[in-house]
Amino acid sequence: MERKNEILELSFELALEIIEYSELLESNRKYVIARQLLKSGTSIGANIREAQSSESRADFIHKLKIAHKEAEETDYWLLLCEKALSYPSPSVQMKANLLSIQKLLSKIISSSKLK
């Protein structure tokens, strides 16, 4: 029986939400932010997935740190969308999912450094 990998699942779900929200932004002609958000929001999960087949603990930590940076960038774009009056607001759930991923990444990175 395969073990559930929470961070992989959460980041995949977030990527799907980001795709949907980016499409909403594009339908509102907010192309630049939509593309920036699409790139950073989907790369979180891609980097986490890549870390699963890392060559060493240092490589694993490095890939997760990249994912964490992408999560920070995604948070920035979502905050801009939330505060800009002419933009549709991101969902509370999407922001909560991103926060969960950020917290999990921090925990995994710090506990991996201790080993």
Side-chain angles (χ1 to χ4, degrees):
M1 188 168 146
E2 197 172 316
R3 237 176 80 199
K4 181 181 165 187
N5 189 325
E6 187 178 3
I7 191 80
L8 276 175
E9 289 181 17
L10 282 173
S11 61
F12 188 79
E13 288 302 315
L14 177 68
L16 292 174
E17 290 175 298
I18 291 288
I19 290 168
E20 197 172 305
Y21 182 61
S22 294
E23 289 172 351
L24 174 65
L25 290 175
E26 286 197 355
S27 72
N28 283 277
R29 303 172 57 108
K30 309 298 184 191
Y31 303 112
V32 175
I33 302 289
R35 292 216 174 89
Q36 292 287 105
L37 184 59
L38 186 63
K39 286 179 185 179
S40 66
T42 56
S43 73
I44 299 166
N47 282 293
I48 291 169
R49 187 161 178 165
E50 193 177 332
Q52 305 307 302
S53 57
S54 56
E55 296 172 15
S56 64
R57 180 179 298 130
D59 187 36
F60 176 76
I61 292 168
H62 177 70
K63 285 176 173 52
L64 289 185
K65 282 183 174 180
I66 293 170
H68 197 271
K69 286 179 180 180
E70 294 293 339
E72 289 296 323
E73 182 181 340
T74 301
D75 191 42
Y76 175 77
W77 297 124
L78 290 175
L79 187 60
L80 274 180
C81 291
E82 191 179 306
K83 300 295 181 188
L85 298 177
S86 63
Y87 278 65
S89 286
S91 74
V92 173
Q93 184 62 52
M94 184 168 41
K95 297 267 298 172
N97 290 347
L98 178 59
L99 183 61
S100 294
I101 290 167
Q102 288 172 300
K103 286 179 179 178
L104 257 177
L105 280 170
S106 292
K107 276 186 191 173
I108 296 167
I109 292 166
S110 59
S111 68
S112 296
K113 286 179 179 178
L114 299 175
K115 292 181 181 177

